[in-house]
């Protein structure tokens, strides 16, 4: 900060240059992304689900998914009035799915944010500090990486109190950062070996400055590509945890709808319209994030080539 | 040969290194051979992880709000002297409790709240069904998955690759329990007028003696749907990993050399490329055992398979805290041990990692 004022010879120059560079890099990235069909298809699917999530309250007023005010017949197969049939309380499946998209996407993205912040910080710090601290962080990462996710998540959710969306977000966030941390750590180590960091150290920059101004911008593209892949996993995890009954029953996600279908005997009733569509939505959204993530990864890390 | 002995010796020696080993213990070795020190290092790391698991398992449940006694005994009639004993135990200093716990984490004095039986007794009788189910699925999935991965990776970009990558990515994006429910509804219950063929749950038909041949067949018949579900979900990952590690090998010089020698394409693939590409796949199969566990929990629930997975679900729905604690510990130990085995195995087949 102090150096900003001291060397402010070209006042708007430096910021503007940085911004222009960033814009250029983004445009280049987008140009590369556009040529990838799978990535673009993923983006299309994702846009569709994002729109349904945003428009859910407009298309389906809240009372359509209220258990007490549902108008349909119980467990009715698809018909002209209810395109995807109804659930065991007579609610329209289509409305449930649109509202479920809100929960599933929100949880997926919020949990990923937590996971990314922890994973990136731990990864950069453990790659930057070589002493005890770095080693301890690396150990912690290895531990969290090995512990099986679902049992740990179940235990955490029980401790934090199940049945709330916030709990699910926190649980997924704090259990899924280790993979990111390991990836970012490796990248940090390679960035730290480059001459410009040596120069920066020689000029007397502190740890914080090195990590935030030099390492972070360099690992950021990788973080971004990893983020989309993590969202995919987070949404799958949300579905699983909600299916196990840890979700908020009042705001049913796709997983919670599947839980309800399963617990209320939709399988033995042969109600395929109650079970099929929520899962299909999960598959499509997870697949779209995976395809976008893979396309980004190939752009960010050309070494992967046309895999 | 000596490499294998080194690793096995190091693993069997037990983690405590004791006094520095005498030189010339290994043939021609100087001090601790790289193999043995690798094995020691990995065993140490695994023990560290186990300790971490124990810490989490002990302290996390102490963080639960409310009266722990009420939580552990939820809805049960517990004799007064047992309650007093429990309270005395919980009133001791927390570190003292932790040390007692460390000494023997498997001897919980607390019974399961749901089943009213000691938790470890409950857990141990559920291990075999899970091993049977998950083990079968892993074996099938690794064979099929690796085969698909080889076929797709060797002819990258061809139609088989495109189709199989699409299918495996889709399977990979699928909640395993959902796939299970779909298979169950289509092949177990029957939809749109078609009758169901397979049993809709359980491990055997009630009343059938499972030690007889007919009983075995009955169990196998009950296994078809859950094993198919798990196999499909697991193989997606194995195929993707195998494919990308084969693709990584494709540009290596030794393959060009092999081709230049005039070896047939099939021979180059089977004797040169695949053995190398298998290495990372094997590690990843083991490393992702945690993911296998989560499949077991939900799929066993869907098919009412009486294993550890279904038990976790029952414990969770309680919630039966003592039981959850035991299951978490067991799953974690299993995965940590499997990882250790993978590390050691990997060092045996690929000497490069030992340095």
């Amino acid at each position: 900060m102090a150096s900003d004022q001291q060397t402010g010879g070209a006042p708007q120059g430096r910021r503007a240059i940085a911004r222009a560079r960033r814009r250029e890099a983004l445009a280049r990235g987008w140009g590369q992304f556009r040529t990838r069909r799978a990535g673009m298809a993923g983006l299309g699917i994702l846009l569709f689900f994002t729109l349904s999530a945003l428009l859910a309250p407009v298309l389906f007023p809240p009372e359509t998914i209220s258990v007490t005010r549902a108008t349909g017949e119980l467990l009715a197969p698809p018909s002209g009035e209810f395109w995807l049939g109804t659930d065991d309380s007579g609610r329209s499946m289509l409305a449930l799915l649109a509202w479920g998209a809100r929960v599933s996407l929100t949880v997926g993205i919020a949990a990923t944010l937590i996971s990314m912040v922890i994973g990136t910080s731990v990864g950069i710090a453990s790659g930057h500090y070589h002493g005890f601290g770095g080693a301890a962080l690396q150990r912690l990462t290895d531990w969290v990486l090995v512990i099986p996710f679902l049992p740990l998540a179940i235990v955490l959710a029980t401790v934090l109190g199940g049945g709330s969306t916030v709990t699910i977000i926190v649980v997924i966030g704090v259990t899924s950062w280790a993979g990111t941390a390991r990836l970012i750590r490796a990248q940090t180590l390679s960035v730290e070996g480059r001459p410009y960091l040596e120069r920066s150290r020689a000029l007397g920059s502190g740890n914080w400055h090195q990590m935030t101004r030099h390492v972070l911008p360099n690992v950021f593209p990788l973080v971004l590509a990893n983020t989309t892949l993590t969202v995919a996993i987070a949404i799958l995890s949300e579905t699983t945890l909600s299916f196990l009954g840890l979700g908020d029953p009042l705001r049913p996600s796709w997983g919670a709808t599947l839980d309800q279908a399963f617990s209320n005997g939709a399988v033995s009733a042969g109600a395929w319209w109650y079970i099929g569509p929520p899962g299909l939505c999960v598959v499509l959204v997870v697949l779209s994030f995976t395809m976008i993530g893979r396309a980004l990864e190939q752009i960010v890390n050309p070494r992967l080539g046309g895999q | 040969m000596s490499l294998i002995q080194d690793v096995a010796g190091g693993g069997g020696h037990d983690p405590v290194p004791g006094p520095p080993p005498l030189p010339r213990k290994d043939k021609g070795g100087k001090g601790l051979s790289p193999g043995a020190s690798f094995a020691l290092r990995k065993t140490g790391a695994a023990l560290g992880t186990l300790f971490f698991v124990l810490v989490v398992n002990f302290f996390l449940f102490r963080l639960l709000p409310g009266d722990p006694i009420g939580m552990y005994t939820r809805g049960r009639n517990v004799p007064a002297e047992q309650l007093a004993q429990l309270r005395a135990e919980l009133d001791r200093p927390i570190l003292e409790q932790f040390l007692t716990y460390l000494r023997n984490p498997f001897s919980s004095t607390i019974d399961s709240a749901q089943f009213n039986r000691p938790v470890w007794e409950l857990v141990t009788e559920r291990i075999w069904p899970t091993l049977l189910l998950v083990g079968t699925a892993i074996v099938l999935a690794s064979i099929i998955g690796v085969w698909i991965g080889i076929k797709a990776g060797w002819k990258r970009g061809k139609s088989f690759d495109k189709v199989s990558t699409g299918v495996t990515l889709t399977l990979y994006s699928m909640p395993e329990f959902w796939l299970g429910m779909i298979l169950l509804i289509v092949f177990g219950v029957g939809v749109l007028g078609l009758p169901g063929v397979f049993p809709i749950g359980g491990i055997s038909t009630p009343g059938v003696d499972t030690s007889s041949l007919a009983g075995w067949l009955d169990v196998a018949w009950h296994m078809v749907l859950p094993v198919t579900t798990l196999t499909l979900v697991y193989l997606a990952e194995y195929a993707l990993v195998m494919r990308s590690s084969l693709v990584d090998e494709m540009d290596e010089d030794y393959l060009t050399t092999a081709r230049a020698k005039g070896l047939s394409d099939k021979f180059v693939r089977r004797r040169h490329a695949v053995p190398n590409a298998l290495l990372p796949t094997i590690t990843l199969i083991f490393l992702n055992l945690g993911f296998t566990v989560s499949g077991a929990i939900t799929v066993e629930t869907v098919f009412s398979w009486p294993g550890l997975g279904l038990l976790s679900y029952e414990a969770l729905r309680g919630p039966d805290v003592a039981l959850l604690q035991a299951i978490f510990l067991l799953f974690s130990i299993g995965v940590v041990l499997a990882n250790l085995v993978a590390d050691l195995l990997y060092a045996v087949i690929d000497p490069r990692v030992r340095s």
Side-chain angles (χ1 to χ4, degrees), chain B residues 205-251:
Chain B
T205 315
V208 170
D209 175 22
T210 48
S211 54
S212 65
L213 179 67
W216 275 90
L217 287 176
D218 186 53
V219 171
W221 188 239
H222 278 79
M223 275 173 71
V224 173
L225 286 183
V227 165
T228 310
T229 310
L230 284 177
T231 305
L232 284 173
V233 176
Y234 295 163
L235 79 80
E237 192 181 22
Y238 302 161
L240 287 170
V241 172
M242 184 63 204
R243 177 184 175 280
S244 72
S245 52
L246 189 61
V247 167
D248 278 346
E249 296 292 327
M250 292 294 272
D251 302 326

Side-chain angles (χ1 to χ4, degrees), chain A residues 143 159 244-245 259 275-276 287, chain B residues 48-49 52 64 173 178 189 294 317:
Chain A
W143 286 339
V159 171
L244 294 175
D259 170 34
I275 291 168
L287 198 59
Chain B
T49 314
F52 180 68
L64 279 167
S173 310
W178 179 70
V189 178
S294 86
R317 284 280 156 135

Side-chain angles (χ1 to χ4, degrees), chain B residues 188-202:
Chain B
V189 178
V191 277
L192 303 172
L194 290 166
V197 183
F198 292 99
I200 57 163

Side-chain angles (χ1 to χ4, degrees), chain A residues 139-140 142-161 182 233 236 239-246 255 258-259 261-263 266-273 275-280 282-284 286-288 290-291 294 303-307, chain B residues 45 48-53 56-57 60-61 63-65 156 165-166 169-170 172-178 181-182 184-185 189-192 200 240 243-244 247-248 287 289-291 293-295 297-298 301-303 312-313 316-317 319 321 324-325 327-328 331-332 335-336 339:
Chain A
R139 249 306 91 77
L140 185 70
D142 288 347
W143 286 339
V144 177
L145 209 57
V146 171
I147 297 181
F149 160 76
L150 195 55
L152 179 63
I154 289 175
V155 164
L156 268 178
T158 314
V159 171
L160 295 174
R182 195 160 70 160
I233 296 169
L236 265 181
T239 310
T240 306
L241 290 176
S242 296
F243 174 71
L244 294 175
L246 291 164
L258 284 173
D259 170 34
F262 178 71
S263 310
V267 174
S268 42
W272 51 269
W273 62 90
I275 291 168
L280 211 58
V282 174
V283 174
L284 284 174
V286 172
L287 198 59
S288 73
T290 310
M291 292 195 295
R294 280 164 67 100
R303 224 168 46 82
L304 290 172
Q307 295 191 14
Chain B
T49 314
L50 279 184
F51 182 73
F52 180 68
V53 167
V56 169
N57 204 18
L60 209 54
F61 286 96
L63 292 178
L64 279 167
R156 179 167 31 143
T165 305
L169 272 181
T170 309
Y172 190 63
S173 310
M174 210 172 264
E176 57 280 328
F177 58 89
W178 179 70
M181 285 199 278
I182 295 290
L184 190 56
I185 212 167
V189 178
V191 277
L192 303 172
I200 57 163
L240 287 170
R243 177 184 175 280
S244 72
V247 167
D248 278 346
L287 271 182
L289 271 180
F291 154 88
V293 168
S294 86
I297 292 179
T298 55
T301 302
V302 169
F303 290 98
S312 327
Y313 181 74
L316 169 66
R317 284 280 156 135
V321 175
L324 266 183
Q325 242 174 322
I327 295 172
F328 173 64
F331 275 140
S332 306
V335 172
V336 171
N339 270 303

Side-chain angles (χ1 to χ4, degrees), chain B residues 89-170:
Chain B
E89 165 73 24
L90 287 167
D91 278 345
R92 286 162 56 213
I94 190 109
L95 272 178
E96 214 178 296
Q97 289 183 47
F98 183 55
L99 286 179
T100 317
Y101 175 70
L102 277 190
R103 221 161 286 143
N104 189 359
F106 303 105
S107 78
S108 176
T109 43
I110 299 157
D111 287 359
S112 149
Q114 267 176 321
F115 298 92
N116 220 346
R117 285 170 55 199
V119 286
W120 285 105
E121 206 179 291
L122 271 169
V123 166
T124 39
E125 68 185 28
R126 298 286 195 113
I127 291 178
W128 294 111
T130 296
L131 280 183
L132 177 67
L133 181 70
V134 174
T136 316
I138 289 183
V139 170
L140 285 175
S142 26
I143 294 171
I144 305 172
V146 164
W147 180 81
I148 292 177
I150 292 173
K151 239 188 134 188
W154 193 248
K155 295 252 160 81
R156 179 167 31 143
K158 295 283 160 53
S159 53
F160 181 86
D161 181 30
K162 280 186 180 148
V163 172
S164 72
T165 305
V167 171
T168 42
L169 272 181
T170 309

